Amino acid sequence: MSSTVSAIQRSALGFVLVLVIFGTLPLVVSSYQMSIANEILIFALLAMSIDVLAGYAGRTSLGHGALFGISTYVVIYWTSVYGGSAWVGCLLGVVVATLVAAIFAAFAVRVSGVYFLLLTLALGMIVWGVCLRWTSITGGENGIRGVGRPDLIASPTAFYYATLAVVLLMTFLIWRFVRSPFGLTLRGIRDSESRMRSLGYGTSAHMFVAFTVTGFFAGVAGALYALFNNFVSPSTVQLSQSVEGLLMAIIGGIGTLFGSFIGAAAIIMLENFVSAYTARWQMVLGVMFIVTMIFAPQGILGTLRMLLIRKR
Amino acid sequence: MSDASALVLENIVVAFGALKAVDNVSIAVRSGERHAIIGPNGAGKTTLFNAITGVTPPTAGRVVFQGQDITRRSVQGRARMGISRTFQITNLFPSLTVDENMQLAVRGNGDGKFSMFGAAELNAGQAERASAALSISRLDTRGAVIVSELSYGEQRQLEMAMALVAQPKLLLLDEPAAGLSPAERIIVAEIIRSLSHDLTMVLIEHDMELVLNLVERVTCLNNGQMLAEGTPNEIRSNQLVQDVYLGKAR
Ligand SMILES: Nc1ncnc2c1ncn2[C@@H]1O[C@H](COP(=O)(O)OP(=O)(O)O)[C@@H](O)[C@H]1O
Ligand SMILES: [Mg+2]
């Protein structure tokens, strides 16, 4: 029981830290830095959606960037081409991303391991291809420009706090989700799918639900990104989006949830810093990934946690 | 085949390419019976379990459980009907605690497993069943331990606890004592002996002496085929069994 209590205490500490650090940032940083923090929050949510599958169900997805981007496309298309309200647009974006996630899931539940990776990669590539070629709707390579945010969240500070509120709420939901009986079934599937079946679990149904739910969270992140970025193009749904989300989860610590905030902060801050000096950002990212894998394969938070447990 | 049969296997064949791992096996297990399947390594015992549980559906033949043909039913569907098994090669959730393993086992053929925002803890009835199964399996004090840190013997006991907690109608034990020390084997035998006699049980065991005191009927397999079937005494004195099985083992 004591391990459960300390797990809850650890999570509570995670919530408090995110709230305090991100909540006070706008008071001390420049508006440029605040926009970076805003982006970190959005991508932390994407990374967490990937972490639920990778860290709990043992399935590494390279398709969640596409789900994220689909939501972004829907929001921008709805507001700027169709002229609808941004609130409805966000709702639609999340719904469409969730539905597409369900389609992805129908294929992806049949496989695991490297086949899961490749299948989700292929599904993501299809989305990217459609966004690139379906020019009449998506504007092709030119993308679509948004119409700005609704008045209520028009100012950068208001939008920042709105993002923080949404991301904290989603983090709480994800946290409850992975600690629920259903979350436990995902960890069971990761450890032994054959045992799960012989205990009476329809593991495909569980994976289907899990994938779809994580698609919902990626969709929420994508909708926030539409409001943040006010522009969408095929690069929003491309593979590197998924890869970055995954790397954030890995660098922060797979299966730690809150590690996603650390991973997102590390990658996005480094990206902004490095881009000022060189165009070889992807290479730096690759090196960073390799260094993490060698020196802290459990990720930053995972390694910290291990050190703390060892000290006791 | 009488109504009292819990499990009826009719002419089961399981072929892997040209190899018939199970070759025309027919067994009827009465309700409440304890039935052993013995035979040398590679005889097809585990493969027969896989045919009964749906892991490897039979190439030919029928599996009938409580009067229903379940030959083509899914693994999880059969589990929910009350067929529960242990694995010869330990098949647990190694990164989870003993309690979490039991939570998964308890919810497997009940409800609550799709609960997404509920508490992870079991309800009172489930918790009682889990702790009862753990204490039968002598793991009462080990609930908080991560399974990969259990001794091998304890892992074998957890195999049993997880199969028992599902309150099965048919329990399939695949060499529950495999790889255990003599002292640990006695524990496993005692656990099996303490189980309710309402439970229908099929027990695979390599060691004939261990098994013959535990069951009412025995089927001996060899090269996938049925060599003999009878009471433990009949099997002990059967010349074919002695030649093929005991002769080899001694
Ligand atoms: N999945 C499989 N594919 C091919 N051959 C298999 C498979 N499973 C078992 N066999 C073969 O079937 C035979 C019976 O194996 P098994 O049922 O495990 O024997 P036992 O449990 O009696 O020791 C062996 O020759 C084994 O190599
Ligand atoms: Mg075997």
Side-chain angles (χ1 to χ4, degrees):
Chain A
M1 272 292 109
S2 71
S3 72
T4 330
V5 172
S6 80
I8 290 177
Q9 284 170 342
R10 264 200 325 251
S11 309
L13 181 68
F15 278 110
V16 170
L17 282 178
V18 170
L19 184 64
V20 169
I21 294 173
F22 283 92
T24 54
L25 264 184
L27 308 176
V28 290
V29 299
S30 70
S31 64
Y32 169 68
Q33 287 163 329
M34 188 174 76
S35 89
I36 291 177
N38 202 328
E39 195 175 349
I40 289 171
L41 286 171
I42 293 170
F43 278 88
L45 180 55
L46 172 64
M48 271 188 285
S49 77
I50 295 171
D51 189 27
V52 171
L53 286 182
Y56 295 83
R59 303 287 198 278
T60 311
S61 167
L62 284 177
H64 276 56
L67 298 171
F68 171 98
I70 284 172
S71 177
T72 311
Y73 261 107
V74 169
V75 176
I76 300 238
Y77 184 88
W78 177 262
T79 49
S80 118
V81 179
Y82 182 77
S85 107
W87 308 113
V88 177
C90 287
L91 205 69
L92 280 178
V94 174
V95 167
V96 173
T98 310
L99 290 177
V100 175
I103 297 172
F104 278 25
F107 292 99
V109 293
R110 291 167 199 290
V111 292
S112 61
V114 73
Y115 298 100
F116 185 90
L117 190 94
L118 291 175
L119 189 67
T120 50
L121 176 123
L123 292 167
M125 295 298 271
I126 292 172
V127 171
W128 173 75
V130 168
C131 291
L132 191 66
R133 297 278 167 229
W134 198 9
T135 328
S136 58
I137 298 287
T138 64
E141 258 179 291
N142 296 328
I144 321 174
R145 188 151 296 287
V147 293
R149 289 190 290 268
D151 290 343
L152 186 63
I153 50 171
S155 88
T157 311
F159 179 62
Y160 177 87
Y161 280 111
T163 304
L164 179 60
V166 171
V167 170
L168 273 177
L169 174 66
M170 294 299 137
T171 306
F172 178 72
L173 291 179
I174 293 174
W175 178 78
R176 280 303 298 258
F177 178 74
V178 298
R179 294 180 54 84
S180 69
F182 188 85
L184 186 59
T185 68
L186 299 184
R187 291 156 71 203
I189 291 170
R190 175 192 60 199
D191 274 18
S192 172
E193 197 167 347
S194 64
R195 172 61 104 168
M196 285 298 279
R197 275 198 228 102
S198 80
L199 288 174
Y201 291 88
T203 51
S204 301
H206 285 254
M207 282 309 301
F208 177 85
V209 172
F211 197 105
T212 307
V213 168
T214 59
F216 164 84
F217 290 115
V220 173
L224 288 170
Y225 188 69
L227 299 175
F228 172 79
N229 203 43
N230 204 30
F231 174 70
V232 67
S233 71
S235 72
T236 312
V237 293
Q238 75 189 4
L239 176 62
S240 67
Q241 194 84 291
S242 295
V243 173
E244 275 196 31
L246 179 61
L247 288 186
M248 288 169 185
I250 291 175
I251 287 173
I254 283 289
T256 63
L257 284 195
F258 288 99
S260 293
F261 287 92
I262 299 173
I267 289 186
I268 290 173
M269 286 184 340
L270 196 71
E271 182 172 11
N272 277 280
F273 178 74
V274 170
S275 302
Y277 300 95
T278 165
R280 300 225 169 91
W281 158 240
Q282 305 275 357
M283 211 175 84
V284 175
L285 189 63
V287 170
M288 187 171 165
F289 179 61
I290 292 168
V291 168
T292 311
M293 285 292 94
I294 292 174
F295 295 105
Q298 320 247 23
I300 296 171
L301 194 59
T303 304
L304 280 178
R305 194 180 274 182
M306 234 175 46
L307 291 176
L308 283 176
I309 289 171
R310 213 181 284 157
K311 260 203 192 117
R312 252 189 272 149
Chain B
M1 307 268 159
S2 75
D3 290 332
S5 289
L7 175 71
V8 180
L9 306 178
E10 287 176 17
N11 308 102
I12 300 285
V13 178
V14 181
F16 298 111
L19 172 76
K20 282 187 175 171
V22 174
D23 191 358
N24 201 25
V25 169
S26 299
I27 301 175
V29 182
R30 278 181 301 104
S31 198
E33 179 179 316
R34 296 180 173 197
H35 195 112
I37 297 176
I38 64 169
N41 263 328
K45 305 182 295 294
T46 297
T47 306
L48 187 63
F49 265 19
N50 288 341
I52 299 171
T53 54
V55 174
T56 315
T59 318
R62 293 206 315 152
V63 181
V64 180
F65 176 60
Q66 296 185 320
Q68 289 190 59
D69 186 332
I70 59 164
T71 316
R72 299 287 147 209
R73 209 165 276 203
S74 70
V75 177
Q76 64 270 21
R78 297 179 204 212
R80 285 188 217 126
M81 289 180 77
I83 299 180
S84 188
R85 79 176 287 186
T86 68
F87 290 81
Q88 177 179 0
I89 296 164
T90 307
N91 189 356
L92 304 167
F93 307 114
S95 72
L96 306 185
T97 64
V98 170
D99 281 339
E100 287 168 333
N101 273 256
M102 294 301 284
Q103 286 170 9
L104 285 170
V106 154
R107 289 202 184 98
N109 57 5
D111 37 61
K113 58 188 161 187
F114 273 99
S115 160
M116 284 187 203
F117 299 103
E121 283 71 32
L122 298 172
N123 66 39
Q126 293 172 325
E128 204 167 289
R129 273 165 57 198
S131 71
L134 279 180
S135 80
I136 289 177
S137 311
R138 307 186 182 188
L139 288 168
D140 351 27
T141 61
R142 306 293 277 159
V145 181
I146 305 274
V147 165
S148 61
E149 286 163 12
L150 291 178
S151 74
Y152 178 72
E154 288 174 322
Q155 292 188 3
R156 298 306 293 169
Q157 285 157 246
L158 182 57
E159 276 279 340
M160 303 259 291
M162 287 171 71
L164 284 173
V165 78
Q167 297 185 316
K169 301 192 178 83
L170 172 63
L171 178 64
L172 306 171
L173 301 174
D174 193 348
E175 302 204 27
L180 297 183
S181 69
E184 289 169 325
R185 297 173 74 82
I186 291 171
I187 294 181
V188 168
E190 280 176 6
I191 293 172
I192 292 171
R193 210 170 277 123
S194 74
L195 297 179
S196 154
H197 271 272
D198 298 335
L199 183 63
T200 312
M201 187 172 81
V202 182
L203 168 65
I204 292 179
E205 185 46 64
H206 194 66
D207 174 354
M208 197 150 138
E209 285 316 309
L210 180 90
V211 101
L212 293 186
N213 301 316
L214 290 172
V215 300
E216 290 113 41
R217 286 193 77 74
V218 184
T219 301
C220 180
L221 293 185
N222 187 38
N223 289 326
Q225 296 176 331
M226 286 177 72
L227 199 64
E229 189 181 324
T231 64
N233 278 333
E234 286 165 0
I235 292 297
R236 212 180 255 122
S237 56
N238 185 300
Q239 194 57 46
L240 280 173
V241 175
Q242 284 183 4
D243 289 350
V244 164
Y245 186 77
L246 297 178
K248 216 182 220 169
R250 294 287 141 94

